[in-house]
Amino acid sequence: MDSAKNMAYRQLSSVVNPSISTNFEPPTIINGSQFNRTTLSDNFQKQEQFFERIATLSTSEQKSYGYSVSDLINYCTYMGERCDLSNDFESFYNPLHGNCYVYNSGWNDSKQIVTATREGPKNGLEMVVNIDQMDYVKQAGSLAGIRVVILDQNQMPFPEDEGVSVGPGQLTYISLQRHEINRLGSPYGSCTEQLFDPFTSAYSAFYNVQYRAKGCEYTCYQKKIMHECGCIDFSYLNITALMENINADNMSLCQSGNFEQG
């Protein structure tokens, strides 16, 4: 590691492993649960503590600990033409995966969407990705590699729930076919043509992406947690800026072992 990465790693280690113990308490039995969560594994506790601490940092601090697109991608072409890493990729921060990068996203109206004119592995997107496994923080998980999600333009990826994992030292080909489904609105159903609705999906407000059912589910879940428990689930998007009658200053992060919040 170079000096800059060494410094960032030491800073991150101080965040992950503070000198003061956090006294993580295993949760008590939940009424109505189908199993007794009285004993949590050490790995689970460490991962929860890690992500909870990272969630307390500002967005800029969180991104600074992750890889930049130039550090992550060593080589990139689309239909044989070199990618412009600084302009061809949009980025977002995922609470579980860190810095994520989207090629040909359609999120920025000023950037032209590229299309493929021929099929085959040489006529699509080719990348060589730097895994740099030696720099991994073990508290973040035991897996190495990258997560690849393929979507249409103007849509938000959710790599924790979809996509494929690509391990280090592997040559991987991904081919796909597109199936388009058009759902009818009134009077045949309740579907709407309003694709950008921050009320039903906070991701539309933050990233200018179209409505997706998964984004709506995550938004509704976070709203429910904030109203019922008075805290923010760090695994999902922080939507306090969009919530009415919510004092963001009084809203803390939910503690994974505390089932009595709120």
Side-chain angles (χ1 to χ4, degrees), residues 34-51:
Q34 297 180 358
F35 56 92
N36 298 339
R37 299 182 72 239
T38 55
T39 303
L40 298 177
S41 69
D42 290 340
N43 286 339
F44 178 85
Q45 294 183 32
K46 290 177 181 178
Q47 287 185 23
E48 290 295 291
Q49 292 171 0
F50 171 82
F51 288 117

Side-chain angles (χ1 to χ4, degrees), residues 138-152:
K138 63 181 180 180
Q139 287 88 346
S142 58
L143 300 179
I146 62 172
R147 190 76 171 170
V148 179
V149 181
I150 301 175
L151 293 170
D152 204 350

